[in-house]
Amino acid sequence: MKLPPFAYRAPESLEEGLELLAAGEGEARILAGGQSLIPMLALRLARPSLLIELRRVPGLAGVHEDGSGLRIGALTTELVAERDPRVRAASPLLFEALEFVGHPAIRSRGTVGGSLCHADPAAELPAAALVLGAELTARSLARGTRTIPARDFFLGPYTTALEFDEVVTEVRVPAPPSSQGSCYLEVSRRPGDFAMVGVAAAVVRGGDRVLDLRLALSGVGDRPRLLTRDELELEGQDSPEVLFGQAGRSVAARIRPPEDLHASAAYRRHLSRVLTERALRTAFERAALQGGAASA
Amino acid sequence: MPESELGARGPLPIRLEVNGEERGGDVEARTTLADFLRDQLGLTGTHLGCEHGVCGACTVLLDSLPTRSCLVLAASADGCRVETVEGLARDGQLSRLQRAMWDSHSFQCGFCTPGFLIQATALLAENPTPTEAEVRHALSGNLCRCTGYESIVRGVLAACAGPERSGAESK
Ligand SMILES: Cc1cc2nc3c(=O)[nH]c(=O)nc-3n(C[C@H](O)[C@H](O)[C@H](O)COP(=O)(O)OP(=O)(O)OC[C@H]3O[C@@H](n4cnc5c(N)ncnc54)[C@H](O)[C@@H]3O)c2cc1C
Ligand code: FES
Ligand code: FES
């Protein structure tokens, strides 16, 4: 369908954008890549009266790295992030998740910040952001700058902790411990489709033991949740293999996956168990390559 | 209407480069790049299927990257460089890819063709010798209602085949 009428502004500074957003009193929306917002307009799922495009605002796109991790500008496209060698080196999990996001013609415009703010329960990046312990920087006129941990950011389907007048400017991804391995796995109907089930996993390894593990799943609930060893109620002493099997069963028992044309709830639950086990095992093996085996 | 929205629905003047030529016009805020190309510039080679990003028929190159023109506002493309299917042939000569897809009968009704041509052009620009799996992966976001995927993939592979490979793969 054609788009409904709305007003459009492309301010040259963030301050101006924040003013427009605040003046919109909830009727204005940020336009990032438009790869979710424009379809929502076309399908009449959103009816903002003003779109504020930030592409003329300097400094909102780009990847930076320092010793403590990555800083990714909110307006960085998914394609640019995926192709940046620093992302691949510093955050293999994010890189792997990015490759599963949509098709190349979507990633060329869709942004990292947009994907997180859109908060689709089947999206890859929110799950990866949780496992990576990412933090979002949000700015508004009323409250200035605040930092929101990914853990507190996703509240429900398409619902985040952002206030209507806030803009995400940056995503910070802390450098993972050197003994951590990670893995993102997904099953979807075609490459590029949203996840039927996706699993982001990270394992900290000490010799032949699992010191810590973190998981988040896409496509199995109203939002991705961070699952730790404690939340999964895993026994501490078992061999990694036993632990991963336990984790898979624990995840499957905890989720309430949706049912649709493409997959029954039972099938999603099955995938969740199998992919959890597999992602954890792969993450554990990769941790060895990164030196985790030595640091027992 | 709040002051911030005064005059912001259009007409908004835009200028952009389309297939190597400077073009411009006044658009409404809600005009998509696809509608601007088709209705205001008469470049109806860019097709509209779903108009919400899922079919790929409207794919164009925006600053050299494949992009859904139904998901980009014309106003957002102000100052950008656009290439459409009309720009693939040079001086009346089909591009190598167009020729190969023609020879491979990659088109049935032809509705999806512009999107596939642009997406495949982008693939070959980055990876001149893709494997069949890479071709399928790159084209996975484009739908063909006639379901002629086999001949489309064959056409793209034929475009990047040297004489040896095309000899080996011809039926
Ligand atoms: C065919 C198709 C397939 C897709 N497949 C996938 C997939 O498999 N996995 C996946 O994860 N995604 C997929 N997507 C969505 C894609 O990743 C989007 O790019 C992404 O979800 C939104 O990013 P965007 O930059 O386009 O945001 P927009 O569409 O511009 O914005 C989305 C929402 O976030 C808000 N917003 C954006 N940026 C900010 C900001 N900096 N601060 C505050 N609010 C902001 C907007 O106001 C809007 O409400 C697909 C899209 C299409 C069309
Ligand atoms: S018309 Fe743009 S993707 Fe279908
Ligand atoms: S040839 Fe008819 S839609 Fe592809």
Side-chain angles (χ1 to χ4, degrees):
Chain A
M1 252 197 286
K2 301 299 176 197
L3 306 180
F6 50 79
Y8 166 89
R9 302 287 294 270
E12 313 245 339
S13 74
L14 184 59
E15 280 60 35
E16 201 187 328
L18 293 174
E19 275 165 29
L20 290 167
L21 195 57
E25 297 181 348
E27 298 294 313
R29 285 273 197 112
I30 296 298
L31 174 66
Q35 302 300 292
S36 296
L37 186 51
I38 304 280
M40 288 180 68
L41 295 173
L43 299 168
R44 304 297 188 269
L45 297 172
R47 290 296 291 269
S49 67
L50 172 67
L51 295 191
I52 304 163
E53 177 158 37
L54 297 179
R55 73 193 170 95
R56 292 185 204 278
V57 175
L60 288 183
V63 177
H64 308 273
E65 196 202 2
D66 56 39
S68 64
L70 290 170
R71 289 188 296 121
I72 303 175
L75 271 277
T76 310
T77 62
E78 292 152 350
L79 195 76
V80 164
E82 173 197 353
R83 291 189 175 169
D84 194 306
R86 288 165 300 182
V87 171
R88 196 174 183 155
S91 187
L93 180 64
L94 184 61
F95 169 75
E96 233 172 358
L98 280 162
E99 286 199 300
F100 280 102
V101 176
H103 314 284
I106 304 296
R107 296 202 290 274
S108 64
R109 280 202 78 81
T111 64
V112 172
S115 174
L116 297 174
C117 292
H118 187 57
D120 190 310
E124 292 81 4
L125 299 190
L130 282 171
V131 168
L132 291 167
E135 292 179 331
L136 294 90
T137 306
R139 287 231 359 223
S140 65
L141 283 189
R143 283 170 301 278
T145 303
R146 65 174 178 138
T147 300
I148 312 172
R151 216 184 161 138
D152 301 330
F153 190 72
F154 305 105
L155 302 184
Y158 314 105
T159 310
T160 68
L162 277 190
E163 301 289 340
F164 76 87
D165 60 348
E166 279 182 312
V167 171
V168 170
T169 55
E170 189 174 88
V171 183
R172 272 189 289 138
V173 182
S178 64
S179 51
Q180 173 172 303
S182 63
C183 177
Y184 188 93
L185 281 181
E186 170 170 321
V187 171
S188 60
R189 291 183 68 227
R190 297 173 304 172
D193 286 353
F194 278 98
M196 266 178 199
V197 175
V199 178
V203 175
V204 180
R205 176 171 183 159
D208 286 331
R209 292 195 318 127
V210 174
L211 301 182
D212 191 17
L213 64 81
R214 293 154 75 86
L215 280 173
L217 279 74
S218 319
V220 300
D222 61 341
R223 62 187 170 101
R225 288 180 171 76
L226 182 64
L227 300 170
T228 60
R229 207 170 169 140
D230 285 347
E231 271 138 338
L232 292 170
E233 296 175 46
L234 303 177
E235 313 294 321
Q237 315 304 328
D238 294 311
S239 75
E241 262 316 297
V242 175
L243 194 68
F244 300 154
Q246 260 184 32
R249 286 190 298 277
S250 174
V251 164
R254 250 156 248 270
I255 55 173
R256 312 195 65 205
E259 191 146 52
D260 59 25
L261 199 61
H262 308 310
S264 64
Y267 180 55
R268 281 201 165 86
R269 181 165 287 129
H270 168 78
L271 282 179
S272 302
R273 181 179 62 74
V274 175
L275 292 179
T276 293
E277 231 183 288
R278 213 178 274 168
L280 287 171
R281 188 179 304 126
T282 307
F284 184 71
E285 283 160 9
R286 288 178 181 171
L289 301 175
Q290 276 151 22
S295 67
Chain B
M1 186 184 300
E3 203 178 321
S4 56
E5 293 173 25
L6 282 180
R9 289 185 180 221
L12 310 165
I14 62 166
R15 297 205 63 77
L16 61 174
E17 186 190 307
V18 181
N19 299 328
E21 280 178 41
E22 280 296 322
R23 305 299 293 261
D26 289 334
V27 297
E28 272 188 84
R30 64 167 163 165
T31 306
T32 62
L33 176 60
D35 283 335
F36 174 73
L37 292 169
R38 290 175 52 84
D39 301 343
Q40 282 174 255
L41 301 188
L43 294 171
T44 52
T46 297
H47 289 173
L48 280 168
C50 65
E51 297 194 297
H52 61 264
V54 297
C55 76
C58 67
T59 308
V60 299
L61 297 179
L62 186 60
D63 290 338
S64 306
L65 295 174
T67 305
R68 307 281 206 241
S69 62
C70 72
L71 295 188
V72 178
L73 300 181
S76 303
D78 182 31
C80 295
R81 191 158 40 82
V82 179
E83 286 157 85
T84 69
V85 69
E86 286 93 344
L88 293 184
R90 291 283 142 82
D91 306 322
Q93 293 285 312
L94 294 184
S95 72
R96 190 181 160 94
L97 175 69
Q98 284 174 306
R99 186 86 249 164
M101 290 182 79
W102 176 297
D103 290 341
S104 305
H105 304 288
S106 304
F107 320 125
Q108 294 180 51
C109 77
F111 195 86
C112 66
T113 302
F116 273 102
L117 277 169
I118 293 286
Q119 188 65 54
T121 298
L123 168 69
L124 297 186
E126 268 180 31
N127 178 1
T129 53
T131 62
E132 180 177 333
E134 286 168 339
V135 171
R136 286 183 187 276
H137 194 95
L139 299 181
S140 65
N142 291 64
L143 297 180
C144 174
R145 273 313 288 271
C146 300
T147 69
Y149 297 106
E150 292 302 321
S151 57
I152 292 171
V153 170
R154 213 174 325 120
V156 177
L157 286 170
C160 45
E164 260 165 65
R165 186 159 162 187
S166 64
E169 291 202 356
S170 65
K171 297 234 159 125

PDB file of all heavy atoms in Angstrom, chain A residues 6-36:
ATOM      1  N   PHE A   6       2.384  12.102   6.105  1.00  0.00           N
ATOM      2  CA  PHE A   6       3.089  12.494   7.339  1.00  0.00           C
ATOM      3  C   PHE A   6       4.014  13.633   6.960  1.00  0.00           C
ATOM      4  O   PHE A   6       4.226  13.905   5.772  1.00  0.00           O
ATOM      5  CB  PHE A   6       3.888  11.316   7.919  1.00  0.00           C
ATOM      6  CG  PHE A   6       4.770  10.618   6.912  1.00  0.00           C
ATOM      7  CD1 PHE A   6       5.995  11.157   6.538  1.00  0.00           C
ATOM      8  CD2 PHE A   6       4.363   9.424   6.321  1.00  0.00           C
ATOM      9  CE1 PHE A   6       6.794  10.516   5.604  1.00  0.00           C
ATOM     10  CE2 PHE A   6       5.155   8.785   5.378  1.00  0.00           C
ATOM     11  CZ  PHE A   6       6.373   9.331   5.020  1.00  0.00           C
ATOM     12  N   ALA A   7       4.513  14.313   7.954  1.00  0.00           N
ATOM     13  CA  ALA A   7       5.495  15.365   7.712  1.00  0.00           C
ATOM     14  C   ALA A   7       6.892  14.787   7.871  1.00  0.00           C
ATOM     15  O   ALA A   7       7.065  13.748   8.524  1.00  0.00           O
ATOM     16  CB  ALA A   7       5.271  16.513   8.685  1.00  0.00           C
ATOM     17  N   TYR A   8       7.876  15.434   7.266  1.00  0.00           N
ATOM     18  CA  TYR A   8       9.242  14.900   7.249  1.00  0.00           C
ATOM     19  C   TYR A   8      10.242  16.012   7.502  1.00  0.00           C
ATOM     20  O   TYR A   8      10.146  17.071   6.887  1.00  0.00           O
ATOM     21  CB  TYR A   8       9.503  14.275   5.880  1.00  0.00           C
ATOM     22  CG  TYR A   8      10.957  13.964   5.569  1.00  0.00           C
ATOM     23  CD1 TYR A   8      11.510  12.739   5.923  1.00  0.00           C
ATOM     24  CD2 TYR A   8      11.760  14.891   4.908  1.00  0.00           C
ATOM     25  CE1 TYR A   8      12.832  12.449   5.630  1.00  0.00           C
ATOM     26  CE2 TYR A   8      13.093  14.593   4.608  1.00  0.00           C
ATOM     27  CZ  TYR A   8      13.618  13.381   4.970  1.00  0.00           C
ATOM     28  OH  TYR A   8      14.926  13.077   4.685  1.00  0.00           O
ATOM     29  N   ARG A   9      11.154  15.783   8.403  1.00  0.00           N
ATOM     30  CA  ARG A   9      12.233  16.736   8.636  1.00  0.00           C
ATOM     31  C   ARG A   9      13.547  15.979   8.709  1.00  0.00           C
ATOM     32  O   ARG A   9      13.588  14.864   9.232  1.00  0.00           O
ATOM     33  CB  ARG A   9      12.023  17.488   9.963  1.00  0.00           C
ATOM     34  CG  ARG A   9      10.710  18.258  10.053  1.00  0.00           C
ATOM     35  CD  ARG A   9      10.713  19.510   9.200  1.00  0.00           C
ATOM     36  NE  ARG A   9      11.680  20.473   9.687  1.00  0.00           N
ATOM     37  CZ  ARG A   9      11.414  21.424  10.585  1.00  0.00           C
ATOM     38  NH1 ARG A   9      10.210  21.530  11.084  1.00  0.00           N
ATOM     39  NH2 ARG A   9      12.341  22.266  10.966  1.00  0.00           N
ATOM     40  N   ALA A  10      14.593  16.587   8.190  1.00  0.00           N
ATOM     41  CA  ALA A  10      15.924  15.986   8.282  1.00  0.00           C
ATOM     42  C   ALA A  10      16.875  17.013   8.894  1.00  0.00           C
ATOM     43  O   ALA A  10      17.615  17.683   8.196  1.00  0.00           O
ATOM     44  CB  ALA A  10      16.414  15.539   6.906  1.00  0.00           C
ATOM     45  N   PRO A  11      16.840  17.138  10.233  1.00  0.00           N
ATOM     46  CA  PRO A  11      17.642  18.170  10.896  1.00  0.00           C
ATOM     47  C   PRO A  11      19.142  17.907  10.734  1.00  0.00           C
ATOM     48  O   PRO A  11      19.557  16.769  10.495  1.00  0.00           O
ATOM     49  CB  PRO A  11      17.237  18.039  12.369  1.00  0.00           C
ATOM     50  CG  PRO A  11      16.738  16.642  12.505  1.00  0.00           C
ATOM     51  CD  PRO A  11      16.106  16.303  11.194  1.00  0.00           C
ATOM     52  N   GLU A  12      19.923  18.989  10.889  1.00  0.00           N
ATOM     53  CA  GLU A  12      21.374  18.868  10.721  1.00  0.00           C
ATOM     54  C   GLU A  12      22.088  18.649  12.047  1.00  0.00           C
ATOM     55  O   GLU A  12      23.289  18.390  12.063  1.00  0.00           O
ATOM     56  CB  GLU A  12      21.927  20.147  10.080  1.00  0.00           C
ATOM     57  CG  GLU A  12      21.128  20.601   8.889  1.00  0.00           C
ATOM     58  CD  GLU A  12      21.913  20.545   7.596  1.00  0.00           C
ATOM     59  OE1 GLU A  12      23.152  20.549   7.673  1.00  0.00           O
ATOM     60  OE2 GLU A  12      21.273  20.475   6.527  1.00  0.00           O
ATOM     61  N   SER A  13      21.364  18.810  13.157  1.00  0.00           N
ATOM     62  CA  SER A  13      22.021  18.573  14.447  1.00  0.00           C
ATOM     63  C   SER A  13      21.121  17.704  15.314  1.00  0.00           C
ATOM     64  O   SER A  13      19.894  17.691  15.146  1.00  0.00           O
ATOM     65  CB  SER A  13      22.307  19.891  15.167  1.00  0.00           C
ATOM     66  OG  SER A  13      21.090  20.423  15.679  1.00  0.00           O
ATOM     67  N   LEU A  14      21.765  16.997  16.250  1.00  0.00           N
ATOM     68  CA  LEU A  14      21.006  16.121  17.142  1.00  0.00           C
ATOM     69  C   LEU A  14      20.069  16.942  18.024  1.00  0.00           C
ATOM     70  O   LEU A  14      18.922  16.547  18.259  1.00  0.00           O
ATOM     71  CB  LEU A  14      21.978  15.293  17.994  1.00  0.00           C
ATOM     72  CG  LEU A  14      21.320  14.270  18.909  1.00  0.00           C
ATOM     73  CD1 LEU A  14      20.497  13.274  18.108  1.00  0.00           C
ATOM     74  CD2 LEU A  14      22.364  13.533  19.740  1.00  0.00           C
ATOM     75  N   GLU A  15      20.559  18.115  18.478  1.00  0.00           N
ATOM     76  CA  GLU A  15      19.732  18.962  19.347  1.00  0.00           C
ATOM     77  C   GLU A  15      18.414  19.302  18.650  1.00  0.00           C
ATOM     78  O   GLU A  15      17.342  19.212  19.235  1.00  0.00           O
ATOM     79  CB  GLU A  15      20.478  20.251  19.718  1.00  0.00           C
ATOM     80  CG  GLU A  15      21.489  20.073  20.851  1.00  0.00           C
ATOM     81  CD  GLU A  15      22.584  19.057  20.517  1.00  0.00           C
ATOM     82  OE1 GLU A  15      22.984  18.998  19.332  1.00  0.00           O
ATOM     83  OE2 GLU A  15      23.008  18.320  21.423  1.00  0.00           O
ATOM     84  N   GLU A  16      18.533  19.685  17.369  1.00  0.00           N
ATOM     85  CA  GLU A  16      17.331  20.039  16.617  1.00  0.00           C
ATOM     86  C   GLU A  16      16.403  18.819  16.505  1.00  0.00           C
ATOM     87  O   GLU A  16      15.185  18.926  16.658  1.00  0.00           O
ATOM     88  CB  GLU A  16      17.750  20.523  15.229  1.00  0.00           C
ATOM     89  CG  GLU A  16      16.720  21.385  14.530  1.00  0.00           C
ATOM     90  CD  GLU A  16      17.148  21.688  13.091  1.00  0.00           C
ATOM     91  OE1 GLU A  16      18.374  21.784  12.834  1.00  0.00           O
ATOM     92  OE2 GLU A  16      16.264  21.792  12.233  1.00  0.00           O
ATOM     93  N   GLY A  17      16.980  17.662  16.259  1.00  0.00           N
ATOM     94  CA  GLY A  17      16.193  16.435  16.171  1.00  0.00           C
ATOM     95  C   GLY A  17      15.481  16.147  17.483  1.00  0.00           C
ATOM     96  O   GLY A  17      14.302  15.782  17.508  1.00  0.00           O
ATOM     97  N   LEU A  18      16.199  16.330  18.598  1.00  0.00           N
ATOM     98  CA  LEU A  18      15.607  16.073  19.914  1.00  0.00           C
ATOM     99  C   LEU A  18      14.466  17.056  20.198  1.00  0.00           C
ATOM    100  O   LEU A  18      13.447  16.682  20.792  1.00  0.00           O
ATOM    101  CB  LEU A  18      16.673  16.169  21.011  1.00  0.00           C
ATOM    102  CG  LEU A  18      17.761  15.084  20.974  1.00  0.00           C
ATOM    103  CD1 LEU A  18      18.831  15.366  22.020  1.00  0.00           C
ATOM    104  CD2 LEU A  18      17.158  13.697  21.187  1.00  0.00           C
ATOM    105  N   GLU A  19      14.647  18.308  19.757  1.00  0.00           N
ATOM    106  CA  GLU A  19      13.585  19.297  19.947  1.00  0.00           C
ATOM    107  C   GLU A  19      12.325  18.901  19.175  1.00  0.00           C
ATOM    108  O   GLU A  19      11.214  18.969  19.695  1.00  0.00           O
ATOM    109  CB  GLU A  19      14.041  20.679  19.468  1.00  0.00           C
ATOM    110  CG  GLU A  19      14.816  21.454  20.524  1.00  0.00           C
ATOM    111  CD  GLU A  19      15.557  22.646  19.931  1.00  0.00           C
ATOM    112  OE1 GLU A  19      15.085  23.210  18.908  1.00  0.00           O
ATOM    113  OE2 GLU A  19      16.607  23.002  20.486  1.00  0.00           O
ATOM    114  N   LEU A  20      12.531  18.500  17.921  1.00  0.00           N
ATOM    115  CA  LEU A  20      11.381  18.087  17.102  1.00  0.00           C
ATOM    116  C   LEU A  20      10.674  16.895  17.727  1.00  0.00           C
ATOM    117  O   LEU A  20       9.446  16.818  17.769  1.00  0.00           O
ATOM    118  CB  LEU A  20      11.850  17.732  15.685  1.00  0.00           C
ATOM    119  CG  LEU A  20      12.326  18.891  14.810  1.00  0.00           C
ATOM    120  CD1 LEU A  20      13.060  18.366  13.578  1.00  0.00           C
ATOM    121  CD2 LEU A  20      11.136  19.752  14.389  1.00  0.00           C
ATOM    122  N   LEU A  21      11.485  15.960  18.223  1.00  0.00           N
ATOM    123  CA  LEU A  21      10.918  14.740  18.809  1.00  0.00           C
ATOM    124  C   LEU A  21      10.107  15.084  20.056  1.00  0.00           C
ATOM    125  O   LEU A  21       8.987  14.588  20.241  1.00  0.00           O
ATOM    126  CB  LEU A  21      12.062  13.777  19.149  1.00  0.00           C
ATOM    127  CG  LEU A  21      11.706  12.334  19.449  1.00  0.00           C
ATOM    128  CD1 LEU A  21      10.940  11.701  18.293  1.00  0.00           C
ATOM    129  CD2 LEU A  21      12.977  11.512  19.727  1.00  0.00           C
ATOM    130  N   ALA A  22      10.666  15.935  20.893  1.00  0.00           N
ATOM    131  CA  ALA A  22       9.964  16.326  22.124  1.00  0.00           C
ATOM    132  C   ALA A  22       8.679  17.096  21.782  1.00  0.00           C
ATOM    133  O   ALA A  22       7.623  16.843  22.363  1.00  0.00           O
ATOM    134  CB  ALA A  22      10.883  17.173  23.002  1.00  0.00           C
ATOM    135  N   ALA A  23       8.771  17.999  20.792  1.00  0.00           N
ATOM    136  CA  ALA A  23       7.598  18.793  20.418  1.00  0.00           C
ATOM    137  C   ALA A  23       6.503  17.914  19.826  1.00  0.00           C
ATOM    138  O   ALA A  23       5.319  18.258  19.873  1.00  0.00           O
ATOM    139  CB  ALA A  23       7.991  19.876  19.413  1.00  0.00           C
ATOM    140  N   GLY A  24       6.885  16.768  19.288  1.00  0.00           N
ATOM    141  CA  GLY A  24       5.918  15.862  18.677  1.00  0.00           C
ATOM    142  C   GLY A  24       5.027  15.160  19.687  1.00  0.00           C
ATOM    143  O   GLY A  24       4.020  14.548  19.332  1.00  0.00           O
ATOM    144  N   GLU A  25       5.396  15.221  20.962  1.00  0.00           N
ATOM    145  CA  GLU A  25       4.585  14.640  22.045  1.00  0.00           C
ATOM    146  C   GLU A  25       4.109  13.230  21.737  1.00  0.00           C
ATOM    147  O   GLU A  25       2.959  12.885  21.948  1.00  0.00           O
ATOM    148  CB  GLU A  25       3.388  15.551  22.339  1.00  0.00           C
ATOM    149  CG  GLU A  25       3.824  16.915  22.842  1.00  0.00           C
ATOM    150  CD  GLU A  25       2.658  17.826  23.173  1.00  0.00           C
ATOM    151  OE1 GLU A  25       1.530  17.480  22.800  1.00  0.00           O
ATOM    152  OE2 GLU A  25       2.910  18.867  23.795  1.00  0.00           O
ATOM    153  N   GLY A  26       5.011  12.413  21.222  1.00  0.00           N
ATOM    154  CA  GLY A  26       4.668  11.018  20.989  1.00  0.00           C
ATOM    155  C   GLY A  26       4.117  10.731  19.601  1.00  0.00           C
ATOM    156  O   GLY A  26       3.989   9.577  19.208  1.00  0.00           O
ATOM    157  N   GLU A  27       3.814  11.804  18.841  1.00  0.00           N
ATOM    158  CA  GLU A  27       3.310  11.598  17.475  1.00  0.00           C
ATOM    159  C   GLU A  27       4.444  11.601  16.451  1.00  0.00           C
ATOM    160  O   GLU A  27       4.226  11.296  15.288  1.00  0.00           O
ATOM    161  CB  GLU A  27       2.315  12.715  17.107  1.00  0.00           C
ATOM    162  CG  GLU A  27       1.079  12.779  17.984  1.00  0.00           C
ATOM    163  CD  GLU A  27       0.228  11.539  17.801  1.00  0.00           C
ATOM    164  OE1 GLU A  27      -0.027  11.146  16.655  1.00  0.00           O
ATOM    165  OE2 GLU A  27      -0.145  10.933  18.827  1.00  0.00           O
ATOM    166  N   ALA A  28       5.645  11.977  16.884  1.00  0.00           N
ATOM    167  CA  ALA A  28       6.797  12.013  15.974  1.00  0.00           C
ATOM    168  C   ALA A  28       7.638  10.757  16.174  1.00  0.00           C
ATOM    169  O   ALA A  28       7.670  10.191  17.265  1.00  0.00           O
ATOM    170  CB  ALA A  28       7.631  13.258  16.246  1.00  0.00           C
ATOM    171  N   ARG A  29       8.287  10.312  15.106  1.00  0.00           N
ATOM    172  CA  ARG A  29       9.145   9.134  15.198  1.00  0.00           C
ATOM    173  C   ARG A  29      10.468   9.406  14.499  1.00  0.00           C
ATOM    174  O   ARG A  29      10.499  10.078  13.474  1.00  0.00           O
ATOM    175  CB  ARG A  29       8.521   7.955  14.453  1.00  0.00           C
ATOM    176  CG  ARG A  29       7.375   7.306  15.129  1.00  0.00           C
ATOM    177  CD  ARG A  29       7.830   6.226  16.100  1.00  0.00           C
ATOM    178  NE  ARG A  29       6.668   5.408  16.386  1.00  0.00           N
ATOM    179  CZ  ARG A  29       6.532   4.142  16.006  1.00  0.00           C
ATOM    180  NH1 ARG A  29       7.492   3.532  15.354  1.00  0.00           N
ATOM    181  NH2 ARG A  29       5.441   3.494  16.288  1.00  0.00           N
ATOM    182  N   ILE A  30      11.508   8.775  15.020  1.00  0.00           N
ATOM    183  CA  ILE A  30      12.803   8.796  14.350  1.00  0.00           C
ATOM    184  C   ILE A  30      12.744   7.858  13.150  1.00  0.00           C
ATOM    185  O   ILE A  30      12.217   6.742  13.242  1.00  0.00           O
ATOM    186  CB  ILE A  30      13.914   8.318  15.321  1.00  0.00           C
ATOM    187  CG1 ILE A  30      14.066   9.290  16.503  1.00  0.00           C
ATOM    188  CG2 ILE A  30      15.245   8.126  14.592  1.00  0.00           C
ATOM    189  CD1 ILE A  30      14.476  10.690  16.118  1.00  0.00           C
ATOM    190  N   LEU A  31      13.273   8.325  12.023  1.00  0.00           N
ATOM    191  CA  LEU A  31      13.437   7.456  10.854  1.00  0.00           C
ATOM    192  C   LEU A  31      14.926   7.141  10.737  1.00  0.00           C
ATOM    193  O   LEU A  31      15.735   8.034  10.523  1.00  0.00           O
ATOM    194  CB  LEU A  31      12.949   8.175   9.587  1.00  0.00           C
ATOM    195  CG  LEU A  31      13.183   7.437   8.263  1.00  0.00           C
ATOM    196  CD1 LEU A  31      12.372   6.151   8.184  1.00  0.00           C
ATOM    197  CD2 LEU A  31      12.842   8.343   7.073  1.00  0.00           C
ATOM    198  N   ALA A  32      15.269   5.873  10.939  1.00  0.00           N
ATOM    199  CA  ALA A  32      16.673   5.473  10.779  1.00  0.00           C
ATOM    200  C   ALA A  32      16.792   4.885   9.380  1.00  0.00           C
ATOM    201  O   ALA A  32      16.742   5.615   8.402  1.00  0.00           O
ATOM    202  CB  ALA A  32      17.075   4.520  11.885  1.00  0.00           C
ATOM    203  N   GLY A  33      16.901   3.553   9.260  1.00  0.00           N
ATOM    204  CA  GLY A  33      16.983   2.957   7.927  1.00  0.00           C
ATOM    205  C   GLY A  33      15.622   2.793   7.263  1.00  0.00           C
ATOM    206  O   GLY A  33      15.521   2.538   6.068  1.00  0.00           O
ATOM    207  N   GLY A  34      14.570   2.884   8.054  1.00  0.00           N
ATOM    208  CA  GLY A  34      13.217   2.752   7.524  1.00  0.00           C
ATOM    209  C   GLY A  34      12.822   1.328   7.149  1.00  0.00           C
ATOM    210  O   GLY A  34      11.725   1.098   6.650  1.00  0.00           O
ATOM    211  N   GLN A  35      13.684   0.348   7.427  1.00  0.00           N
ATOM    212  CA  GLN A  35      13.404  -1.012   6.958  1.00  0.00           C
ATOM    213  C   GLN A  35      12.350  -1.722   7.797  1.00  0.00           C
ATOM    214  O   GLN A  35      11.829  -2.773   7.419  1.00  0.00           O
ATOM    215  CB  GLN A  35      14.695  -1.841   6.908  1.00  0.00           C
ATOM    216  CG  GLN A  35      15.758  -1.223   6.014  1.00  0.00           C
ATOM    217  CD  GLN A  35      15.286  -1.078   4.576  1.00  0.00           C
ATOM    218  OE1 GLN A  35      15.092  -2.070   3.872  1.00  0.00           O
ATOM    219  NE2 GLN A  35      15.062   0.143   4.124  1.00  0.00           N
ATOM    220  N   SER A  36      12.026  -1.165   8.935  1.00  0.00           N
ATOM    221  CA  SER A  36      10.886  -1.656   9.712  1.00  0.00           C
ATOM    222  C   SER A  36       9.785  -0.605   9.762  1.00  0.00           C
ATOM    223  O   SER A  36       8.603  -0.928   9.675  1.00  0.00           O
ATOM    224  CB  SER A  36      11.314  -2.007  11.145  1.00  0.00           C
ATOM    225  OG  SER A  36      12.225  -3.068  11.121  1.00  0.00           O
TER     226      SER A  36
END
